[in-house]
Amino acid sequence: QVQLVESGGGLVQAGGSLRLSCAASGRTLSRYAVGWFRQAPGKQREFAAAISRSGGNTYYADSVKGRFTISRDNVKNTVYLQMNSLKPEDTADYYCAAVNGPTGTVVVVVAYEYDYWGQGTQVTVSS
């Protein structure tokens, strides 16, 4: 029902910043709660950040809290992940995911609740 495309990944030095974008098509993204997940080489996929349909509520993994900010622009049909003070441990493939229909204030933090996933964008942080 909705297609998601991530962009904005790349190579950055430790302490630097990147902004990832998740652009939706096929449906209005305002109908979906959205999350960001990441998977480092040899590790399981892990939750990073989530945002409610309204954008009024957000939630972050402890590992990124205070450094990453998730936001959404429902007019542009896009969700963002601003990543500051990047560390080598942040190196991973980053994926956005969406789930339709939750109450506007709900954040979704478990991967199995999401129905739609992008193909990912790679982030590499050098030491």
Side-chain angles (χ1 to χ4, degrees):
Q1 292 183 359
V2 65
Q3 294 79 46
L4 306 173
V5 179
E6 302 96 333
S7 62
L11 175 65
V12 64
Q13 291 185 340
S17 298
L18 286 173
R19 189 182 74 160
L20 306 183
S21 297
C22 177
S25 62
R27 290 288 186 273
T28 300
L29 194 59
S30 64
R31 303 299 90 193
Y32 298 82
V34 175
W36 285 94
F37 294 79
R38 63 186 187 180
Q39 186 167 21
K43 296 185 178 180
Q44 295 187 73
R45 180 177 55 187
E46 67 176 9
F47 168 78
I51 190 166
S52 62
R53 285 174 53 199
S54 68
N57 288 317
T58 59
Y59 191 81
Y60 300 91
D62 288 342
S63 58
V64 308
K65 190 177 298 181
R67 300 187 298 118
F68 290 11
T69 302
I70 188 171
S71 62
R72 68 190 303 159
D73 186 335
N74 286 338
V75 174
K76 295 182 178 180
N77 230 30
T78 301
V79 171
Y80 304 97
L81 185 67
Q82 178 67 46
M83 305 185 296
N84 298 325
S85 301
L86 283 163
K87 305 174 181 179
E89 305 90 88
D90 296 318
T91 295
D93 292 327
Y94 283 73
Y95 302 87
C96 66
V99 58
N100 183 56
T103 302
T105 57
V106 169
V107 293
V108 180
V109 302
V110 290
Y112 62 77
E113 292 287 350
Y114 285 99
D115 297 315
Y116 306 100
W117 294 80
Q119 293 300 308
T121 186
Q122 188 175 43
V123 172
T124 302
V125 184
S126 62
S127 59

